[in-house]
Amino acid sequence: QVQLAESGGGLVQAGGSLRLSCAASESIDSITSMGWYRQAPGKQRELVAAISGVRTNYADFVKGRFTISRDNAKNTVYLQMNSLKPEDTAIYYCHVVTELQFRVGNYWGQGTQVTVSS
């Protein structure tokens, strides 16, 4: 079953903005962390940003441009991407970590394509 629903990807010009959303199913309980990774063709998947409680973590290459946020009531994480660059082009994957009674779970979305043209 699809437990993470991603949206918001698309094609934009350099300098433009996109807002990614990832809604976790209510069947996913005890979320401790939500975040975004990306993978470009021929490259490894890499962390973009993550949020755990009130703590956030950003990759150096997006600091000052991207903002991660979370709406606990909607079980949704967002990634506001501003000042996009062609090198931001990749498939962006939502990632969720859960922990319940010391049992840790990892969930990945299907990915949403972000393409930035020059």
Side-chain angles (χ1 to χ4, degrees), residues 4 6 22 33-37 47 77 93-97 105-109:
L4 300 179
E6 300 156 317
C22 174
S33 178
M34 305 185 79
W36 293 91
Y37 288 71
L47 173 71
V77 64
Y93 297 91
C94 181
H95 178 239
V96 170
V97 177
N106 286 272
Y107 300 83
W108 291 94

Side-chain angles (χ1 to χ4, degrees), residues 65-114:
R65 300 189 297 125
F66 293 6
T67 303
I68 190 168
S69 61
R70 179 179 176 182
D71 186 336
N72 291 334
K74 298 179 179 179
N75 225 28
T76 300
V77 64
Y78 305 94
L79 184 67
Q80 179 66 46
M81 304 186 294
N82 298 326
S83 302
L84 284 162
K85 305 174 181 179
E87 50 263 44
D88 293 319
T89 296
I91 300 175
Y92 285 69
Y93 297 91
C94 181
H95 178 239
V96 170
V97 177
T98 64
E99 183 175 348
L100 180 63
Q101 298 296 316
F102 307 106
R103 182 176 180 271
V104 177
N106 286 272
Y107 300 83
W108 291 94
Q110 294 291 308
T112 183
Q113 178 70 49
V114 171

Side-chain angles (χ1 to χ4, degrees), residues 33-47:
S33 178
M34 305 185 79
W36 293 91
Y37 288 71
R38 72 186 189 188
Q39 187 167 23
K43 299 181 65 177
Q44 295 182 338
R45 188 171 299 187
E46 61 186 352
L47 173 71

